[in-house]
Amino acid sequence: MSHTNESMVSEFVLLGLSNSQELQLFFFAIFSIVYVTSILGNVMIIVIIFCDSHLNSPMYFLLSNLSFIDICQSNFATPKMLVDFFVEHKTISFGGCMTQIFLLHSFVGSEMMLLVAMAYDRFIAICKPLHYSTIMNRRLCIIFVSISWAVGILHSVSHLAFTVNLPFCGPNEVDSFFCDLPLVIKLACMDTYGMEIITLTNSGLISLSCFLALLISYTVILITVQHQSSRGSSKALSTLTAHITVVILFFGPCIYFYIWPFSRFSVDKFLSVFYTVCTPLLNPIIYSLRNEDVKSAMWNLQNHHINSWKE
């Protein structure tokens, strides 16, 4: 499917979230706060885990990497979206569009695999506590993180390898605030049914396999927690609640998009906003509010800086 430069569009037009100037100003104010809070929240988690020796455990090592992915995901499209609220003709170059597609699927694929790794960590900690320190060592954690990034990048490259060679000769309007892969594919000057099936299969396989692995892991863990003493299970249940909440919020929009991947409804734009802009903010909020160790480390770090400032 080779094509010449003359037949290929040089840029795409992003239709954004709304044509109303008042709504765009409102969205700018709201999403600016969400974006800044998301970045600061995830940076805060990384700093707290790095500075507090009590959080030097596999779970928090994986959590810090999750926060790093969320920082990356916050930056792949949100800054441009905020700038575009003040631009009448919102465009993105062909290369920029392909870059957004690559980054989004890399980060999402990596986060899915990392959530599975975090579930495995909780499974070992609760179901096999005596072997936890032997199994969940730093080497295995690094392997998990490396595999997460490798799978995410390979998943993204497999999408991009087909998309970048499609003949785009017009129209070039993408009805979103970023280059959403299904919307971009439909702009190709050819029958895209086969591409749509490949895209759905590719994304569906990694999403479904990760979701099933998480579902099985947390089901076994919850059954195990129910048989433990109330004192021992209370902290474990609190941690599990945070993990399960993140999984539901992350995979919920995913499942929706894969049920109707190429049929778009008016609510889809706002689900895309939630998925790309709001989800990275939810992780630090959930883990900070539900995790006593993180809250304790946060207060200790704050008191340390206050005492240092007084001295």
Side-chain angles (χ1 to χ4, degrees):
M1 286 186 293
S2 60
H3 54 279
T4 62
N5 290 333
E6 288 77 18
S7 67
M8 186 176 71
V9 298
S10 60
E11 64 180 18
F12 292 96
V13 177
L14 302 175
L15 299 183
L17 296 176
S18 173
N19 292 324
S20 167
Q21 187 63 35
E22 291 77 13
L23 270 178
Q24 290 192 69
L25 290 174
F26 172 75
F27 288 149
F28 174 79
I30 296 298
F31 295 143
S32 293
I33 295 172
V34 172
Y35 171 68
V36 172
T37 307
S38 174
I39 296 296
L40 293 178
N42 282 292
V43 168
M44 178 189 70
I45 285 183
I46 293 173
V47 170
I48 288 172
I49 292 173
F50 179 78
C51 293
D52 196 307
S53 59
H54 297 96
L55 302 182
N56 185 23
S57 69
M59 183 180 79
Y60 293 109
F61 174 79
L62 296 174
L63 177 58
S64 65
N65 280 276
L66 181 67
S67 290
F68 177 74
I69 293 177
D70 283 334
I71 292 172
C72 295
Q73 188 172 326
S74 295
N75 284 288
F76 94 95
T78 306
K80 177 169 174 52
M81 178 188 72
L82 295 175
V83 172
D84 281 348
F85 282 132
F86 298 96
V87 178
E88 184 176 352
H89 191 61
K90 305 171 178 60
T91 62
I92 184 170
S93 67
F94 181 86
C97 184
M98 295 301 112
T99 300
Q100 281 194 344
I101 291 173
F102 171 77
L103 292 176
L104 173 62
H105 287 272
S106 293
F107 300 147
V108 171
S110 299
E111 184 155 346
M112 285 181 183
M113 295 300 296
L114 196 59
L115 288 173
V116 173
M118 293 175 73
Y120 178 77
D121 170 77
R122 291 300 84 202
F123 172 80
I124 297 298
I126 294 172
C127 300
K128 297 184 177 181
L130 297 179
H131 302 283
Y132 179 75
S133 58
T134 304
I135 297 174
M136 291 301 300
N137 51 51
R138 180 53 64 96
R139 179 175 174 271
L140 183 61
C141 290
I142 293 173
I143 290 174
F144 277 153
V145 172
S146 301
I147 291 175
S148 297
W149 279 103
V151 170
I153 291 172
L154 286 174
H155 166 66
S156 187
V157 168
S158 66
H159 279 310
L160 206 63
F162 292 102
T163 309
V164 75
N165 287 318
L166 290 175
F168 295 101
C169 51
N172 65 339
E173 291 185 342
V174 179
D175 190 16
S176 184
F177 62 95
F178 70 99
C179 282
D180 196 359
L181 180 60
L183 296 181
V184 172
I185 288 177
K186 291 186 79 70
L187 296 177
C189 302
M190 59 174 287
D191 181 8
T192 58
Y193 179 77
M195 274 295 303
E196 293 173 6
I197 296 300
I198 292 173
T199 301
L200 176 61
T201 303
N202 187 346
S203 297
L205 279 176
I206 185 173
S207 301
L208 184 61
S209 57
C210 288
F211 184 71
L212 287 176
L214 290 166
L215 187 64
I216 293 170
S217 297
Y218 285 121
T219 300
V220 173
I221 293 171
L222 286 172
I223 292 172
T224 304
V225 168
Q226 285 184 339
H227 290 86
Q228 293 180 348
S229 64
S230 58
R231 180 182 296 179
S233 64
S234 177
K235 183 178 179 181
L237 191 60
S238 176
T239 303
L240 281 177
T241 304
H243 283 242
I244 292 171
T245 303
V246 168
V247 167
I248 292 172
L249 292 173
F250 183 82
F251 280 91
C254 248
I255 293 170
Y256 172 83
F257 285 131
Y258 293 140
I259 292 175
W260 296 286
F262 294 93
S263 300
R264 290 289 160 164
F265 305 100
S266 56
V267 72
D268 288 8
K269 283 188 181 181
F270 297 97
L271 277 176
S272 295
V273 170
F274 175 81
Y275 195 62
T276 58
V277 181
C278 300
T279 300
L281 171 64
L282 294 175
N283 290 351
I285 291 177
I286 291 169
Y287 283 113
S288 297
L289 295 178
R290 297 291 305 178
N291 192 299
E292 293 297 328
D293 292 335
V294 172
K295 286 194 288 187
S296 176
M298 192 187 308
W299 285 113
N300 290 338
L301 185 64
Q302 180 179 337
N303 292 334
H304 174 75
H305 282 288
I306 291 174
N307 293 331
S308 299
W309 181 75
K310 287 180 179 180
E311 292 175 0

